[in-house]
Amino acid sequence: SKKYCAPVGRQRHPFRRESSTCKTLCRLLETMLARGRRGYQTSAKALNYCVELVQERDVERYLCNLSAPAAVRPALFALHAFNLETARVRSSTREPQIARMRFVWWRSTVTAALRGEPPDNPVAQALAGAAAGGGLTGRFFHQMLEAREDDVDTTQPADRAELLRYCERTAGSLLHLSLEARAREWEIGPRFAESG
């Protein structure tokens, strides 16, 4: 069944299956699922999870994603869901060692997702679908993970330079990945990746 847009039992979700926006997004998602270049097909459940997570925890990016070209929305929701999942690792436990173990898991998960072999995790599956279109640089994912892991031991940046470096490795890497996803639509992916 097609449940890309309207989660069951959620009245606050702005999409309805009857809406033209939802129908257009559903058709687009079906097309993208069918043409993954590496053969990986993201499930509707995984995509819905990412959309709902971004909607609940990052409303600004959720609204920006809705105004992005339809062809890149699934990749953007996957990237932004990954950002949210990894950003909350630090606050999800009081034990630094457990947080580090979660980052080890995310590193291997990202590597597997970029190969088109994600574990049974909706964000990892959505990332695999995004990577199936090609053009996402693994180094940016790993920069984000390194910065988030460094954050486990740091309560506050020591100075402005450290703060800027942290922003570059987190928000900057996310922006690079988002632009790479968008570059596919413009067919300039390889040139953009070289400049990053």
Side-chain angles (χ1 to χ4, degrees):
S1 67
K2 298 175 185 172
K3 297 181 182 174
Y4 299 113
C5 301
V8 177
R10 299 251 177 125
Q11 294 297 325
R12 59 183 168 62
H13 202 289
F15 283 143
R16 296 292 175 264
R17 288 185 196 164
E18 309 83 44
S19 75
S20 62
T21 304
C22 182
K23 288 178 184 177
T24 302
L25 183 57
C26 289
R27 281 194 300 272
L28 168 73
L29 290 173
E30 287 170 349
T31 302
M32 290 196 68
L33 291 173
R35 71 177 186 202
R37 291 181 195 166
R38 295 181 191 161
Y40 187 82
Q41 294 186 1
T42 305
S43 69
K45 183 178 178 181
L47 290 172
N48 274 337
Y49 177 87
C50 292
V51 171
E52 291 173 18
L53 180 65
V54 176
Q55 179 193 13
E56 290 171 12
R57 296 180 178 265
D58 194 346
V59 176
E60 292 83 5
R61 283 194 175 114
Y62 171 77
L63 294 173
C64 289
N65 288 353
L66 293 182
S67 65
V72 297
R73 284 181 203 158
L76 292 175
F77 278 116
L79 293 169
H80 294 147
F82 169 76
N83 179 56
L84 290 167
E85 290 280 10
T86 57
R88 70 180 176 184
V89 167
R90 178 185 177 191
S91 62
S92 68
T93 180
R94 293 180 183 170
E95 298 294 328
Q97 202 57 26
I98 293 174
R100 285 190 190 86
M101 289 169 59
R102 290 180 183 164
F103 285 115
V104 168
W105 182 86
W106 270 112
R107 278 192 190 86
S108 63
T109 295
V110 165
T111 301
L114 294 178
R115 282 194 319 258
E117 302 167 358
D120 187 20
N121 174 282
V123 175
Q125 292 168 353
L127 284 177
L136 295 182
T137 306
R139 148 175 80 94
F140 294 126
F141 288 103
H142 292 289
Q143 283 179 358
M144 289 175 70
L145 290 170
E146 287 168 11
R148 300 284 189 209
E149 187 171 6
D150 290 347
D151 206 22
V152 170
D153 296 319
T154 306
T155 55
Q156 188 171 342
D159 53 28
R160 184 174 185 270
E162 188 175 312
L163 174 63
L164 291 175
R165 186 167 181 266
Y166 178 79
C167 292
E168 180 183 335
R169 293 164 65 207
T170 53
S173 292
L174 181 62
L175 180 59
H176 273 282
L177 288 164
S178 300
L179 288 171
E180 286 180 339
R182 178 71 190 258
R184 280 185 250 163
E185 182 202 10
W186 298 327
E187 298 182 353
I188 58 170
R191 281 180 287 157
F192 178 79
E194 288 170 12
S195 68

